[in-house]
Amino acid sequence: MKTYTERYAETLTQKLEPSLSKEAIISLIEVPKHRGHGDLAFPCFQLAKEWKRSPQAIAKTLAVQLNDPLFTSFQAAGPYINAFLNREVVAQETLTEILQKEEDYGAHDFGEGQVIVLDLSSPNIAKPFSMGHLRSTVIGNAIAQLAEKCGFETVRLNYIGDWGTQFGKLIAAYKRWGNEEAVKRAPIAELFKLYTRFHTEAVQLPELEDEGRYWFKELEAGNEEALSLWRWFREESIQAFNAIYSLLGVRFDSLNGEAFYNDKMEPVVTELQEKDLLEESDGARVVRLEASIPPALIKKKDGATLYVTRDLASALYRKQHYHFDYSFYVAGNEQTLHFNQLIQVLKKMGYCWAETMEHIPFGMILKEGKKMSTRQGKVVFLEQVLADIIQQAVQNIREKNPELLDQERVAEQVGVGAVIYHDLKHHRQNDVEFSYDDMLRFEGNTGPYLQYTHARALSILRKSKLSKPVYKEGATVTDQMWELITQLTYFPGHIADAFEWRDPSLLAKSIYKIAQCFNHYYAHTRILVGGDQEQKIALTKATAIVIKEGLRLLGIQAPEEM
């Protein structure tokens, strides 16, 4: 079904072509802030110069010429033409479509036949999964869900940090202070303790850095003791990560980490040499880029490869293996330069598909306004956060609804949903302040508020005993109903916008607005009594369908009871 913005644009196009195309008109149409100004508004400023008339005069002339049965009237208001939708027609069209399509409502097909590879999460082995890694995980997962809703096929990759000098440092720390039994009892916590101790003591013992470099060289050379410790650290870490991913409802198609590309980098270096792109700089090998971008360091003086080298190998492998149409890297703002260099090097190598690679940056999670640091031990562990917030949810449920069945499962859905929504409601490039209190509130713009609104709607449906309500033509559409129906009509467009801008917060705002309007409608309407009861139940069911689907796209479950 066409959006009502498109329908208004088509009506205007009949009068405005060739001065403005339909696409140009769509880009200009606005939603008025005040209900009295109509449902859609078109500004006439761009026509003034060509038509040699004032925008006010153009609006006044055009308003009386427009005609479309979907709209009850077109009114000139200064330089704007305000369009008023036919509430009864829109209500029937929108609610009938939602009730028929259910979870397919809002789907698009513009991505059909195209593949997107998403690189997300990417925690480092032997370190706890921090709140910092949460952002890449839930933002990437939501963008993948949105992409699938828009018709794309997705491939989700977890490019685990399982190689590099930090593992030489960890091996050195384990050799000095490690205890096998302690690591077996609590592997991640103990390894993290060793990692932070290494950096603390290296301040007073500079020779520790040499030990770390030595053990990483041994690891690269295939030293069996180093490899055995590395494999052990990796296996324990992945088991711990998988427990968190299971709780978050996040899946991956590949866990190939950095180590997977160890044997794939040298061919890349050879190709760069053959294409005469490598230059020497103070003993290192670099690829020079545009004047505004520093050279990409491919090999250090000692011959060691770097992140760009590895990511070049991974990009080439992914293109060959997955035949992607787009490749998204969901990584922090601080990695923008790295991905600019990666894409520019691939372009210089002659790979035009590098244009389809995109870095999707995001801000940090702050604690008391400051960046978290695993090296200094100043970090909040996601596993502990989830455990704490689920326990808080259990306590809330026992206080507010002690008769609820399966309290632990619902508390898990609420707690995990609270953590995910607290992240995704913010624009991804903004920093987010970590706050237990903000996450688990049952009012305002929070996950539990949206889940509770969904559960409230289902409770009404159960009491109504109308399993398949039908919205019939001719029902009275009150102001409260119209506010809600209008938001439901925007939902498909918000899905497309959230994907196009790679910004799940646009979808979060949409669901929140729907929940607000439903609760306002509920407060002013006796849904289960009085006239037009089936229509009111149809609106309630449509609202529940859309909120549940919106939450699913964000990676959040919608409990039936709370």
Side-chain angles (χ1 to χ4, degrees):
M1 188 174 78
K2 292 176 182 175
T3 67
Y4 297 112
T5 298
E6 288 176 318
R7 184 72 173 265
Y8 186 26
E10 287 178 354
T11 303
L12 286 163
T13 301
Q14 296 172 20
K15 302 294 180 181
L16 300 184
E17 279 190 327
S19 298
L20 288 174
S21 66
K22 178 184 170 182
E23 290 70 26
I25 293 169
I26 287 174
S27 70
L28 292 171
I29 291 173
E30 304 172 9
V31 176
K33 293 182 180 179
H34 303 290
R35 187 191 304 152
H37 294 167
D39 301 295
L40 297 166
F42 175 75
C44 297
F45 301 106
Q46 285 201 20
L47 297 169
K49 186 175 181 180
E50 181 181 343
W51 290 20
K52 295 182 172 56
R53 296 172 63 192
S54 71
Q56 292 84 351
I58 294 171
K60 193 172 182 178
T61 300
L62 286 175
V64 297
Q65 296 177 0
L66 299 175
N67 183 46
D68 187 326
L70 183 63
F71 298 89
T72 56
S73 67
F74 300 94
Q75 300 176 11
Y80 289 87
I81 306 172
N82 294 335
F84 292 77
L85 286 162
N86 186 317
R87 293 185 176 188
E88 286 71 27
V89 172
V90 171
Q92 186 186 18
E93 284 187 357
T94 301
L95 298 181
T96 298
E97 184 180 10
I98 296 171
L99 294 172
Q100 287 177 349
K101 290 186 174 179
E102 295 195 348
E103 65 272 11
D104 289 333
Y105 178 66
H108 300 275
D109 60 6
F110 59 80
E112 201 169 302
Q114 299 178 77
V115 176
I116 299 176
V117 166
L118 297 102
D119 183 322
L120 64 146
S121 196
S122 307
N124 293 317
I125 67 168
K127 294 181 186 177
F129 201 112
S130 73
M131 288 295 291
H133 286 106
L134 174 72
R135 300 222 70 194
S136 176
T137 305
V138 299
I139 292 170
N141 185 60
I143 291 173
Q145 305 268 60
L146 287 163
E148 289 166 0
K149 187 76 172 178
C150 294
F152 293 92
E153 178 187 342
T154 65
V155 180
R156 305 164 192 229
L157 309 180
N158 195 353
Y159 187 42
I160 291 173
D162 60 1
W163 202 252
T165 55
Q166 66 266 37
F167 298 105
K169 295 175 182 180
L170 184 58
I171 292 169
Y174 180 79
K175 295 282 289 179
R176 272 186 174 246
W177 311 297
N179 179 286
E180 184 177 354
E181 291 304 315
V183 172
K184 286 181 177 179
R185 280 195 304 271
I188 297 296
E190 190 63 26
L191 291 173
F192 181 65
K193 189 189 299 183
L194 290 171
Y195 180 77
T196 53
R197 182 175 178 180
F198 180 95
H199 286 282
T200 300
E201 300 214 11
V203 176
Q204 303 298 327
L205 298 171
E207 61 267 26
L208 278 177
E209 296 288 351
D210 294 330
E211 285 184 32
R213 282 189 285 271
Y214 167 80
W215 278 108
F216 181 57
K217 282 187 178 180
E218 289 296 298
L219 185 60
E220 287 191 305
N223 178 296
E224 190 50 46
E225 181 184 11
L227 280 171
S228 178
L229 287 171
W230 173 79
R231 291 191 193 104
W232 180 33
F233 299 159
R234 188 180 192 277
E235 183 180 335
E236 294 289 355
S237 298
I238 288 176
Q239 286 183 13
F241 296 156
N242 284 341
I244 292 172
Y245 292 134
S246 177
L247 203 55
L248 292 173
V250 176
R251 65 170 178 83
F252 293 98
D253 299 295
S254 169
L255 294 177
N256 288 338
E258 295 176 14
F260 178 77
Y261 296 98
N262 280 346
D263 62 351
K264 299 171 179 61
M265 287 185 287
E266 204 52 46
V268 173
V269 176
T270 301
E271 183 177 348
L272 288 168
Q273 287 174 328
E274 290 174 349
K275 292 180 174 178
D276 203 25
L277 294 174
L278 276 186
E279 295 183 23
E280 189 171 318
S281 177
D282 295 328
R285 309 300 297 280
V286 304
V287 174
R288 300 214 175 267
L289 303 171
E290 300 171 2
S292 59
I293 303 178
L297 186 56
I298 303 299
K299 272 195 170 185
K300 293 195 288 188
K301 289 180 182 180
D302 60 4
T305 53
L306 290 103
Y307 285 120
V308 169
T309 325
R310 199 175 301 271
D311 280 356
L312 287 168
S314 70
L316 291 165
Y317 174 85
R318 292 170 185 179
K319 183 62 177 179
Q320 183 180 31
H321 194 70
Y322 299 113
H323 309 289
F324 62 74
D325 296 280
Y326 298 94
S327 179
F328 294 168
Y329 293 85
V330 187
N333 285 326
E334 67 277 7
Q335 295 194 45
T336 297
L337 174 60
H338 167 78
F339 288 109
N340 281 342
Q341 290 177 319
L342 172 65
I343 292 168
Q344 290 301 320
V345 172
L346 285 166
K347 287 180 181 178
K348 292 197 76 168
M349 293 173 77
Y351 296 112
C352 58
W353 49 261
E355 293 281 0
T356 69
M357 294 170 59
E358 181 180 341
H359 173 216
I360 300 176
F362 55 82
M364 297 180 289
I365 289 191
L366 306 177
K367 186 180 180 184
E368 297 173 354
K370 297 180 180 179
K371 180 181 178 180
M372 299 179 186
S373 170
T374 52
R375 286 190 177 187
Q376 299 171 19
K378 295 177 181 178
V379 66
V380 178
F381 300 146
L382 180 58
E383 186 176 19
Q384 188 61 52
V385 170
L386 291 171
D388 290 346
I389 209 154
I390 290 170
Q391 187 54 44
Q392 285 186 42
V394 169
Q395 292 173 2
N396 287 348
I397 289 170
R398 287 174 180 169
E399 291 171 7
K400 296 178 180 180
N401 190 3
E403 304 302 317
L404 179 67
L405 299 175
D406 210 354
Q407 294 182 5
E408 285 75 15
R409 183 180 64 85
V410 174
E412 184 176 291
Q413 293 174 333
V414 172
V416 172
V419 172
I420 294 174
Y421 189 80
H422 181 261
D423 188 297
L424 295 182
K425 73 178 182 180
H426 297 92
H427 186 282
R428 60 175 166 79
Q429 287 193 268
N430 292 343
D431 293 336
V432 178
E433 181 66 34
F434 172 76
S435 170
Y436 276 115
D437 293 337
D438 286 348
M439 287 182 191
L440 208 53
R441 286 185 289 109
F442 275 75
E443 65 282 335
N445 192 9
T446 67
Y449 172 78
L450 301 182
Q451 291 172 317
Y452 182 72
T453 302
H454 171 264
R456 167 180 275 175
L458 291 191
S459 175
I460 295 168
L461 295 175
R462 285 192 294 271
K463 291 174 184 176
S464 76
K465 298 179 182 177
L466 274 172
S467 59
K468 293 187 177 180
V470 175
Y471 191 88
K472 298 174 183 176
E473 188 177 359
T476 301
V477 180
T478 65
D479 286 346
Q480 290 79 24
M481 285 181 69
W482 184 240
E483 285 179 352
L484 176 54
I485 290 167
T486 301
Q487 293 303 319
L488 294 174
T489 68
Y490 295 154
F491 182 70
H494 289 154
I495 287 172
D497 289 344
F499 171 74
E500 294 288 358
W501 290 98
R502 322 291 191 240
D503 183 12
S505 75
L506 297 176
L507 177 60
K509 289 181 177 71
S510 179
I511 311 167
Y512 176 52
K513 189 65 177 176
I514 290 169
Q516 278 186 311
C517 289
F518 176 76
N519 285 315
H520 188 229
Y521 167 65
Y522 175 80
H524 289 82
T525 308
R526 300 182 70 187
I527 296 174
L528 296 174
V529 296
D532 295 333
Q533 187 175 334
E534 187 168 3
Q535 283 89 335
K536 292 184 288 187
I537 295 300
L539 176 56
T540 300
K541 183 170 183 179
T543 301
I545 289 168
V546 172
I547 291 177
K548 181 179 181 179
E549 178 61 7
L551 288 172
R552 183 193 72 80
L553 292 171
L554 295 179
I556 299 170
Q557 295 188 59
E560 295 189 2
E561 293 183 75
M562 283 176 67

